[in-house]
Amino acid sequence: MNNQKYLIAANWKQNGDSKSLIKLINDFIKSYKKIKPRCEILILPPSIYLNAISNRLSHHKIPRKKISLGSQNISSFDNGAYTGELSVDMTKDYNCTYALIGHSERRHVFQEDEKTIAKKMQLSLASNMNTILCVGETIAEYNKKLTKKVILRQLKSALIKSSVLLKSDHSKVIIAYEPVWAIGTGKTASLDNISDVHSYIRNVLNKILGIKTNSIKILYGGSVNNLNASSILSLSNVNGALVGGASLNSKKFIDICSSI
Ligand code: PGA
């Protein structure tokens, strides 16, 4: 894993407007040369701004291996009569190479169930997208010491439909561990906790896929900022970060990317 790139993803969620997000991407572009070669940045803007952000990256000739684009969510169906949805193939038209699936806000605010998440994983992987699956426990589950049980269930249920495909090629799957109680709260999981859960995820992946999965990136997310990023990113089995709040501030986000 040592010569592998770290992936630092900016999840802008449903924030900003065309003016503020264009300014944000322009600020990222201005400072991106400072970023270490071992870092790939992924921008996950609100879908309606994907085209505008993609145009800024093309205009400045930013290599897509340096700053790539992804969607925060995809439909669990192929194209058809599904009002309000965006299929994985449509996101490709905006140069998306990543899809984020099963974020805790999708699971808990939009009641996305595990069957739907498994379908989205299957569609995204079949479409050759880099696919980030988010997993993580709620505070109640954490307090009852159910973290590993919950994560095992979430990983198994999300990957089951894709397991045949993944056994022959797992290069497109990425896992993000995001304790729900750490998202947007300023409370990060302790370093011991992150280490323990990430190595557990690695072992579960090895078992589910029946192979060594060291090349699958496992990101940490939940109140990552410019002050705690360096210690989190130096843990083994932490191969990047999924950043929400701090990614809306260009200086903080670039500092996170430079702290690898
Ligand atoms: P946060 O969000 O960094 O604001 O905690 C992380 C996420 O939801 O991906």
Side-chain angles (χ1 to χ4, degrees):
M1 185 58 77
N2 271 347
N3 49 10
Q4 268 221 358
K5 275 190 170 179
Y6 284 77
L7 179 66
I8 311 291
N11 180 8
W12 290 348
K13 307 193 181 185
Q14 190 189 314
N15 287 302
D17 54 22
S18 124
K19 199 170 161 205
S20 64
L21 296 180
I22 294 292
K23 180 175 179 329
L24 192 55
I25 194 66
N26 283 341
D27 289 346
F28 283 9
I29 290 168
K30 263 186 228 147
S31 356
Y32 104 99
K33 287 218 166 95
K34 283 194 222 150
I35 291 164
K36 309 216 164 103
R38 286 179 70 199
C39 174
E40 176 183 345
I41 293 178
L42 165 63
I43 311 288
L44 300 158
S47 335
I48 198 162
Y49 302 122
L50 278 168
N51 200 25
I53 302 295
S54 178
N55 286 342
R56 293 321 298 157
L57 296 175
S58 303
H59 178 81
H60 289 279
K61 300 191 171 49
I62 305 295
R64 293 304 167 106
K65 286 198 165 134
K66 276 268 165 207
I67 305 186
S68 46
L69 264 186
S71 60
Q72 297 174 13
N73 181 31
I74 53 159
S75 171
S76 55
F77 297 98
D78 278 326
N79 291 353
Y82 304 105
T83 302
E85 292 291 289
L86 192 66
S87 71
V88 65
D89 288 334
M90 289 173 178
T91 70
K92 285 185 174 168
D93 277 346
Y94 293 118
N95 298 311
C96 284
T97 48
Y98 283 83
L100 187 69
I101 292 179
H103 188 278
S104 78
E105 286 144 22
R106 299 297 319 168
R107 292 178 192 259
H108 299 291
V109 183
F110 298 96
Q111 278 79 44
E112 223 169 73
D113 61 18
E114 292 183 349
K115 252 178 139 176
T116 308
I117 290 167
K119 274 178 78 185
K120 291 184 177 188
M121 288 298 294
Q122 191 182 23
L123 281 174
S124 180
L125 289 166
S127 194
N128 216 23
M129 270 284 171
N130 295 298
T131 306
I132 306 176
L133 168 68
C134 302
V135 295
E137 79 287 2
T138 62
I139 188 66
E141 291 160 342
Y142 175 81
N143 287 336
K144 288 189 200 149
K145 302 202 181 333
L146 292 174
T147 301
K148 290 183 180 170
K149 203 173 164 191
V150 169
I151 283 169
L152 178 63
R153 195 196 64 229
Q154 291 175 338
L155 286 172
K156 274 189 170 165
S157 67
L159 300 178
I160 197 85
K161 278 179 183 277
S162 314
S163 59
V164 174
L165 191 147
L166 287 174
K167 275 180 186 157
S168 62
D169 178 14
H170 59 262
S171 63
K172 297 285 177 186
V173 73
I174 294 153
I175 308 295
Y177 169 54
E178 297 204 299
V180 180
W181 49 270
I183 296 179
T185 58
K187 291 183 199 149
T188 355
S190 72
L191 296 179
D192 282 350
N193 190 342
I194 298 173
S195 252
D196 186 37
V197 176
H198 278 234
S199 67
Y200 178 71
I201 291 174
R202 175 76 63 216
N203 288 336
V204 172
L205 291 173
N206 289 346
K207 269 202 193 126
I208 294 181
L209 301 182
I211 33 171
K212 283 244 172 262
T213 61
N214 286 355
S215 60
I216 296 184
K217 288 186 173 67
I218 308 176
L219 317 181
Y220 171 78
S223 297
V224 174
N225 60 38
N226 47 326
L227 305 175
N228 60 26
S230 145
S231 47
I232 294 172
L233 291 168
S234 65
L235 297 171
S236 69
N237 284 315
V238 174
N239 316 115
L242 181 51
V243 187
S247 73
L248 293 164
N249 176 309
S250 62
K251 186 179 174 330
K252 283 188 185 164
F253 186 70
I254 296 296
D255 280 355
I256 293 171
C257 297
S258 317
S259 70
I260 291 168

